[in-house]
Amino acid sequence: MSNPPAPPPANPILSSYESFYNSTPLTTRLVLTSTSITYPLSFIYDPSSLFANIPLYTILRFQFYRIITSPFICTQLLSLIFAYFSFMESGKRLEYAIGSTNLAALLLSMSGVTNLFHIVICFVMSGLSQNPQYLLIPCIGIWNLILSVIAMDCASADPSAQRKLFVVNVPTRFYPCALLTLFTLFSGSIELSYCISVAVGYLFGFNKFDILKLKAERRRRLETGVLRKFTGKAGFVPSQVENDWDLGTDRNTGPAQEAGQQGWTPTVFRRPDTNTSTSGGGSVPQFEGGGTKLGTSSSATGTRSRPNATQSIPASTARDAGLLAAESRAAAAATEIDEEKGER
């Protein structure tokens, strides 16, 4: 009896796409996929003439959708390859940090601000020079988003940090400018939209556009409403905390503490060593009253035993009482110091 034939080998293109689909978060995957689709379409019809941000068409012909669609176009293979490897890592890292919804809002905000600045500058240059050709300068390509994301990431870097650009070490804060210079040398001309993108990225990195950042309450409404279907798709990254835009702070000090969970606590607010009762919101010495016999439960008399290192975290009421006791001691100490100064 002959053995059954071996299954056909897997399609390498399909296997690569499945690996990309399973390992890439949702927003990063959608950006790269939409950009990649425009390249083969360029052999049939040039999408830049329909989706690029050209001030003459965007404003004077009321085609405002170009402000949103212009970054998701790529008609050159080499640019697409470099954009894929550049945005893959930075997009994934940023999406895992702030969530899929926040990343989508961030990219749309960056795209909108970059394109608006581009339109304003083109109209100003056209008016000053009386040359309408400035209104035909396009703002197009995913590199506008990539440069903005890189600039935002590098804006908050340590001043002594460095990043390698080929064989040259460049200060991280100036890495986007070095990258822009390299693009200018390769292309032989200055891309206005790239300069604007780097500037916009720095402004976002220095928190100059915090008003455009998606608030936590608004994000939750979107995820339970319009974006409800996207939250169930593979690769969707939810935002875990309220201050999910604050990448430079400890997230343990966020809503986890507000919910009564354990987090970092300043030394001045540690629970005092003296035992207090939480009734009435004041501090009462433990051994006032009738006392209690050895072996009896402390709950029977309304008193609390002295905590040790193995006890669990106190309840919220006990924590509040500890805060009040610490504050009262601090106020008493300050009063004593003031009295001593007055006597001197």
Side-chain angles (χ1 to χ4, degrees):
M1 185 175 181
S2 61
N3 294 328
N11 188 332
I13 298 179
L14 180 60
S15 300
S16 300
Y17 178 76
E18 290 178 347
S19 176
F20 163 76
Y21 184 90
N22 294 326
S23 62
T24 309
L26 180 62
T27 301
T28 305
R29 185 174 72 239
L30 292 178
V31 171
L32 292 175
T33 302
S34 60
T35 305
S36 302
I37 291 175
T38 59
Y39 173 70
L41 289 178
S42 63
F43 291 99
I44 303 173
Y45 180 80
D46 186 10
S48 60
S49 62
L50 186 60
F51 298 110
N53 177 27
I54 303 173
L56 177 64
Y57 298 101
T58 304
I59 301 300
L60 299 183
R61 298 189 181 180
F62 306 103
Q63 297 177 3
F64 302 120
Y65 66 89
R66 294 173 179 264
I67 296 176
I68 303 299
T69 59
S70 63
F72 308 105
I73 301 172
C74 189
T75 58
Q76 298 178 359
L77 180 60
L78 189 61
S79 177
L80 178 62
I81 294 174
F82 280 105
Y84 175 85
F85 290 105
S86 299
F87 188 72
M88 173 67 76
E89 294 303 322
S90 58
K92 288 171 65 175
R93 183 174 64 251
L94 189 58
E95 185 166 358
Y96 285 130
I98 65 176
S100 298
T101 306
N102 282 335
L103 179 60
L106 176 65
L107 296 180
L108 291 176
S109 300
M110 285 182 169
S111 171
V113 173
T114 301
N115 281 284
L116 289 177
F117 280 160
H118 178 83
I119 291 172
V120 171
I121 293 175
C122 286
F123 270 96
V124 170
M125 294 172 63
S126 176
L128 294 177
S129 64
Q130 297 298 315
N131 185 359
Q133 292 297 321
Y134 285 108
L135 300 181
L136 297 177
I137 299 177
C139 180
I140 181 177
I142 191 176
W143 275 104
N144 291 315
L145 287 180
I146 296 175
L147 290 173
S148 294
V149 171
I150 293 175
M152 185 189 69
D153 188 24
C154 294
S156 58
D158 187 86
S160 61
Q162 292 186 342
R163 182 178 292 188
K164 186 177 290 295
L165 181 63
F166 292 106
V167 295
V168 180
N169 289 326
V170 180
T172 303
R173 287 191 173 183
F174 299 102
Y175 178 81
C177 300
L179 196 61
L180 182 61
T181 304
L182 185 64
F183 285 174
T184 303
L185 293 176
F186 283 166
S187 62
S189 61
I190 299 177
E191 287 286 343
L192 176 62
S193 61
Y194 289 174
C195 298
I196 298 174
S197 299
V198 172
V200 169
Y202 277 122
L203 290 175
F204 270 90
F206 291 130
N207 301 321
K208 301 303 181 181
F209 286 108
D210 282 354
I211 191 174
L212 299 179
K213 292 180 179 179
L214 195 63
K215 304 300 181 183
E217 182 180 356
R218 177 63 175 170
R219 171 181 52 79
R220 285 192 293 266
R221 288 202 301 264
L222 288 174
E223 291 178 352
T224 56
V226 179
L227 303 178
R228 184 176 63 255
K229 293 183 179 180
F230 288 94
T231 59
K233 291 186 176 295
F236 179 82
V237 181
S239 300
Q240 300 294 335
V241 295
E242 297 292 339
N243 56 336
D244 43 16
W245 285 105
D246 193 1
L247 303 181
T249 57
D250 185 5
R251 294 192 172 195
N252 290 334
T253 60
Q257 283 187 329
E258 296 176 3
Q261 300 177 7
Q262 184 180 11
W264 179 82
T265 305
T267 305
V268 71
F269 289 138
R270 288 177 183 168
R271 287 195 75 243
D273 291 335
T274 57
N275 297 292
T276 58
S277 173
T278 60
S279 60
S283 59
V284 181
Q286 178 187 359
F287 294 104
E288 271 190 24
T292 181
K293 295 181 179 180
L294 293 176
T296 59
S297 173
S298 59
S299 60
T301 59
T303 59
R304 301 183 61 181
S305 60
R306 183 181 181 89
N308 54 44
T310 60
Q311 282 183 318
S312 60
I313 303 172
S316 59
T317 54
R319 184 175 63 249
D320 294 338
L323 296 179
L324 292 174
E327 291 175 357
S328 62
R329 289 198 307 276
T335 304
E336 292 177 359
I337 293 174
D338 293 337
E339 291 176 354
E340 292 177 0
K341 289 183 179 180
E343 293 175 357
R344 291 178 183 177

